[in-house]
Amino acid sequence: MRFLTASQIFDGNQFLTANSVLVLNESNCLTEITTSDKISEDKLEKHDGIITPGFINAHCHLELSHLYKHISEKTGFTGFAKELMSKRFIFAQELVQEAMWVAEEQMWENGIVAVGDISNSADSFEIKSKSDIRFHTFIELIALNPALSEKVLTAGKELLNKVTHGTASLSPHAPYSVSFELMQAISKTGPEHLPLTIHNQESASENEFFERGTGPVLDLYRHLGIDISYYKPYHHTSLQAYLKNFSSGRNLILVHNTFSSEEDIRFAEMYSKNLYWCLCPNANLYIENTLPMVELLQKNSCKIVIGTDSLASNHHLSVLNELNTLLKHFPSITTQQGLQWATYNGACALNISEQFGALNIGKNSGLNLINLENNQFAFRKKLA
């Protein structure tokens, strides 16, 4: 048995009393939370810092790891998309696989124990099946043309059936790349307890495309040689236009939210209480050089989670690095809030909170030791 104590212990929602002790068995499962006066002094494993549950990365693209340092920064969404599509498939499969192994190890060494990961192919499946990280794979579908919905949905289901690790569900890529018909079909596919995700309002051009049918998104389709003459604008922001296509009873992770207004947020929260707002601030700075209006999410009591996005749009896959960026720009975020977003909220979003994201008796949720100095976190080590 191990008896762990620290300067502070965070249980996923709040800090425990100062003399708390975590009792772990030989499998690193938490068997009890007790107090130091009940444990012999020589048996206590004392640590200087904060003990937390393992971190949850609610949004990642492991498949894009090979594009690390190959995509230009601050070119805007369409500039990023064009460069990504021109470079994504030019690398040898051996390099693609090697980069994913390195990225998976980086996440594990940074205290991440569970990941919501986007997949467009089966490239990452072998790595996930051998990983100590718990993966939920979002099979991402793309088809703005309603006539392609059935074909794309069938292909998505075939890929879904190849998943042998963790859990998986179909999900739409983004509002500007998926028809409402396909969104509705995706929402009805799979068990209700499995989450969905969608890239939401990552750029101002997304809202322009929905409101007026103009702008950089339209230019991107022209650049790709894709005819979307059938498309008609909705005269609403993207979130207000598409959200009704999803079941309000199913977890939906909205990713980025960089250009979500307070009106959008209120509309969404009224529609569903199962929304999770995923923040990937370092990717937002990498691509658009801007950040979401976090204060509006806090003001409206939104459930916030943390994602790293991919190494195509980030320098590290670290949940703490994302939190540090948020703390730097939004001093209203408390330590307790930030850690809750990085642990319990993320586990709830992926519907794995029975094991992860909190100090659950009888479970191994992972344990991290971190420091907090000058309102910035530093990862020390994994304790379990």
Side-chain angles (χ1 to χ4, degrees):
M1 304 291 282
R2 296 173 65 193
F3 303 91
L4 279 66
T5 188
S7 310
Q8 292 180 287
I9 299 177
F10 182 74
D11 72 356
N13 285 294
Q14 61 187 357
F15 287 96
L16 302 182
T17 55
N19 63 338
S20 295
V21 175
L22 306 181
V23 183
L24 274 62
N25 65 16
E26 294 77 7
S27 301
N28 283 327
C29 290
L30 180 67
T31 62
E32 182 185 2
I33 299 177
T34 185
T35 52
S36 56
D37 58 294
K38 298 179 180 178
I39 306 296
S40 173
E41 180 75 16
D42 63 321
K43 292 184 178 180
L44 286 175
E45 187 178 321
K46 298 180 180 180
H47 296 279
D48 180 21
I50 305 171
I51 293 178
T52 74
F55 300 131
I56 312 297
N57 182 357
H59 179 76
C60 186
H61 295 255
L62 192 62
E63 286 180 346
L64 302 181
S65 301
H66 62 288
L67 294 175
Y68 176 56
K69 291 187 176 181
H70 286 285
I71 307 295
S72 305
E73 296 187 44
K74 298 177 175 60
T75 60
F77 164 72
T78 53
F80 173 83
K82 290 176 182 178
E83 192 170 358
L84 176 71
M85 286 182 280
S86 69
K87 294 180 177 180
R88 179 172 183 174
F89 301 108
I90 64 174
F91 292 82
Q93 186 63 22
E94 292 80 7
L95 291 175
V96 173
Q97 291 293 320
E98 181 182 352
M100 284 191 287
W101 278 113
V102 171
E104 183 273 343
E105 182 178 3
Q106 183 183 128
M107 285 195 284
W108 180 250
E109 292 301 320
N110 282 324
I112 294 170
V113 295
V115 178
D117 187 65
I118 304 294
S119 288
N120 301 109
S121 71
D123 287 353
S124 63
F125 290 2
E126 180 182 1
I127 292 171
K128 291 174 184 176
S129 67
K130 296 178 180 178
S131 175
D132 290 320
I133 295 173
R134 165 68 178 268
F135 280 94
H136 178 87
T137 295
F138 294 104
I139 303 297
E140 188 175 77
L141 305 186
I142 300 175
L144 184 62
N145 190 338
L148 298 176
S149 295
E150 185 175 346
K151 178 181 178 181
V152 170
L153 186 68
T154 298
K157 290 178 179 178
E158 290 175 356
L159 186 57
L160 189 65
N161 289 333
K162 296 180 181 179
V163 175
T164 58
H165 58 271
T167 52
S169 55
L170 302 181
S171 278
H173 168 248
Y176 56 82
S177 62
V178 178
S179 69
F180 286 2
E181 289 82 356
L182 183 53
M183 287 184 189
Q184 292 167 14
I186 290 171
S187 182
K188 296 174 183 176
T189 301
E192 278 277 311
H193 71 275
L194 293 180
L196 304 172
T197 192
I198 187 170
H199 296 81
N200 178 66
Q201 294 174 307
E202 190 174 357
S203 68
S205 58
E206 178 180 315
N207 284 328
E208 180 183 353
F209 185 64
F210 268 76
E211 290 172 322
R212 298 189 292 276
T214 59
V217 172
L218 181 61
D219 294 339
L220 178 61
Y221 276 110
R222 288 171 176 165
H223 171 79
L224 296 173
I226 299 174
D227 177 21
I228 59 166
S229 56
Y230 55 85
Y231 176 78
K232 304 297 180 186
Y234 293 89
H235 309 294
H236 292 287
T237 61
S238 64
L239 183 57
Q240 295 185 46
Y242 78 76
L243 190 57
K244 63 185 178 183
N245 296 290
F246 293 95
S247 166
S248 62
R250 193 169 178 181
N251 283 7
L252 177 61
I253 303 172
L254 305 174
V255 182
H256 293 304
N257 316 299
T258 326
F259 293 87
S260 299
S261 68
E262 184 161 19
E263 184 181 356
D264 291 325
I265 294 168
R266 287 179 176 175
F267 173 90
E269 286 293 316
M270 286 182 63
Y271 178 77
S272 173
K273 298 304 178 186
N274 293 299
L275 294 180
Y276 291 85
W277 302 77
C278 184
L279 304 180
C280 308
N282 289 329
N284 301 147
L285 293 173
Y286 193 108
I287 297 171
E288 291 274 352
N289 198 28
T290 190
L291 292 169
M293 292 178 280
V294 178
E295 297 98 333
L296 293 181
L297 297 173
Q298 291 179 290
K299 176 183 175 182
N300 288 277
S301 302
C302 297
K303 295 187 285 290
I304 297 173
V305 300
I306 303 298
T308 63
D309 211 27
S310 74
L311 286 175
S313 59
N314 207 336
H315 298 288
H316 304 279
L317 299 182
S318 164
V319 167
L320 278 192
N321 280 0
E322 303 299 323
L323 279 185
N324 285 338
T325 296
L326 291 172
L327 291 171
K328 179 180 178 181
H329 290 88
F330 303 101
S332 63
I333 300 172
T334 67
T335 302
Q336 181 170 314
Q337 284 174 328
L339 291 178
Q340 183 183 45
W341 299 350
T343 56
Y344 182 71
N345 280 16
C348 288
L350 296 175
N351 210 8
I352 54 173
S353 60
E354 288 188 1
Q355 176 170 353
F356 296 101
L359 300 179
N360 295 315
I361 302 297
K363 305 292 183 181
N364 178 0
S365 62
L367 291 177
N368 296 329
L369 181 67
I370 63 174
N371 281 348
L372 178 64
E373 294 182 6
N374 300 318
N375 207 35
Q376 292 285 281
F377 291 111
F379 186 79
R380 290 276 301 281
K381 60 181 177 179
K382 293 172 65 68
L383 296 176

